[in-house]
């Protein structure tokens, strides 16, 4: 894991990615668990917002984090 402060953007994205992986595994077994599915969507939205912020403020950190976690890069930012 990253050697960053606990509340940093990078560590929050790391923790959210860990939760996404666990929920994805859970939903493969329990396909009709719609409340968990909704929770996954909310987590993905939060992670996306944090990635957009990191992209705009610290681009090199964004690149390193996406490479380390295996996250696809943002498609297009319309701001």
């Amino acid at each position: 894991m990253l050697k960053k402060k606990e509340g940093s953007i990078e560590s929050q994205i790391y923790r959210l990615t860990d939760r996404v992986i666990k929920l994805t595994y859970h939903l493969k077994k329990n396909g009709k668990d719609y409340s968990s599915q909704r929770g996954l969507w909310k987590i993905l939205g939060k992670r996306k917002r944090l990635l957009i912020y990191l992209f705009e403020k610290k681009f090199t950190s964004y690149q390193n984090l996406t490479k380390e976690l295996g996250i696809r890069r943002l498609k297009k930012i319309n701001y």
Side-chain angles (χ1 to χ4, degrees):
M1 186 180 155
L2 303 167
K3 298 292 181 186
K4 298 278 184 178
K5 294 179 181 177
E6 283 297 313
S8 70
I9 301 295
E10 294 89 352
S11 65
Q12 289 180 45
I13 292 171
Y14 183 84
R15 274 189 257 119
L16 288 173
T17 302
D18 188 45
R19 288 179 63 193
V20 165
I21 292 168
K22 289 178 183 176
L23 270 175
T24 303
Y25 178 74
H26 170 76
L27 286 171
K28 285 181 182 177
K29 288 186 171 184
N30 307 295
K32 294 189 177 188
D33 187 356
Y34 297 116
S35 60
S36 292
Q37 191 176 41
R38 182 174 184 268
L40 177 63
W41 291 337
K42 289 176 72 95
I43 292 169
L44 288 172
K46 182 169 180 80
R47 185 178 76 172
K48 183 178 179 181
R49 288 190 302 274
L50 289 171
L51 283 169
I52 289 170
Y53 176 81
L54 196 62
F55 180 85
E56 293 171 351
K57 301 296 179 185
K58 303 182 206 173
F59 185 70
T60 56
S61 181
Y62 165 80
Q63 287 179 320
N64 294 337
L65 189 66
T66 54
K67 188 185 304 181
E68 181 181 336
L69 295 177
I71 300 173
R72 288 184 292 172
R73 296 179 181 256
L74 298 170
K75 290 183 180 178
K76 193 174 185 181
I77 301 175
N78 295 328
Y79 286 99

